Amino acid sequence: MLPRMLLGQDEPPAPTAVRAAFALWLTAVAAGAFETVLAVIRAVTEGDGSGGGIAGGIALRMAVFSAAVLVAVRMRRGANWARLTLAGGLGVLGTLSLVVGPVQWLADGHGPGDVFRDLNALDVLFGASRVLHLAAVLTAVALMFRPAANAWFRAARHA
């Protein structure tokens, strides 16, 4: 659990939906970081990239993950702008970035059953992490807009 001074005092206390959404945003970031590690392992073992390209990709992802955590902390403290940023930035654009690869793969003529052909442990780990990542993002977005969360963000804005 993050230190209380990082999260700040909730006045009024954050509802369960907001606290759960915060935990899910951290889960999504952790899944993204895990996927980054797996992508680097794949690139190194299969020779799919240059060192500079890999380093640049890692730097970009770490910047996005860091920003996501900082914005999630602000959301957890009642900042409505942070809730909207998470919903639009990671909820919409982030989700698109998660699904564009599989959709493109299917559009290239592959069938859903083809995914199991030549499956290895790295693929299974990546797929499981991606499913967790996507589920965490979609659930966090839904929770941030529950009626109790909406009321709390309104109250926090006026406090």
Side-chain angles (χ1 to χ4, degrees), residues 38 42 46 115-130:
L38 294 176
R42 175 171 280 143
E46 296 177 4
V115 76
F116 298 106
R117 189 172 302 131
D118 301 323
L119 196 63
N120 62 37
L122 204 57
D123 296 328
V124 171
L125 288 172
F126 191 87
S129 181
R130 184 56 57 98

Side-chain angles (χ1 to χ4, degrees), residues 32 35 90 93-103 130 133-135 137:
E35 290 161 23
L90 296 179
L93 299 176
T95 297
L96 288 175
S97 75
L98 292 174
V99 300
V100 73
V103 168
R130 184 56 57 98
H133 191 160
L134 189 57
V137 167

Side-chain angles (χ1 to χ4, degrees), residues 5-139:
M5 72 177 197
L6 178 61
L7 294 177
Q9 297 292 337
D10 295 336
E11 286 301 328
T16 302
V18 172
R19 292 190 312 269
F22 176 73
L24 287 167
W25 284 118
L26 296 182
T27 300
V29 168
F34 181 68
E35 290 161 23
T36 300
V37 170
L38 294 176
V40 168
I41 291 169
R42 175 171 280 143
V44 169
T45 58
E46 296 177 4
D48 286 347
S50 69
I54 293 172
I58 291 171
L60 176 63
R61 288 177 185 216
M62 291 302 114
V64 170
F65 298 152
S66 297
V69 169
L70 292 174
V71 174
V73 167
R74 295 294 301 178
M75 181 277 302
R76 173 66 177 76
R77 293 178 65 191
N80 193 51
W81 67 263
R83 174 173 73 151
L84 297 175
T85 299
L86 288 167
L90 296 179
V92 174
L93 299 176
T95 297
L96 288 175
S97 75
L98 292 174
V99 300
V100 73
V103 168
Q104 191 172 32
W105 185 77
L106 288 170
D108 287 342
H110 296 93
D114 293 344
V115 76
F116 298 106
R117 189 172 302 131
D118 301 323
L119 196 63
N120 62 37
L122 204 57
D123 296 328
V124 171
L125 288 172
F126 191 87
S129 181
R130 184 56 57 98
V131 168
L132 174 65
H133 191 160
L134 189 57
V137 167
L138 296 176
T139 306

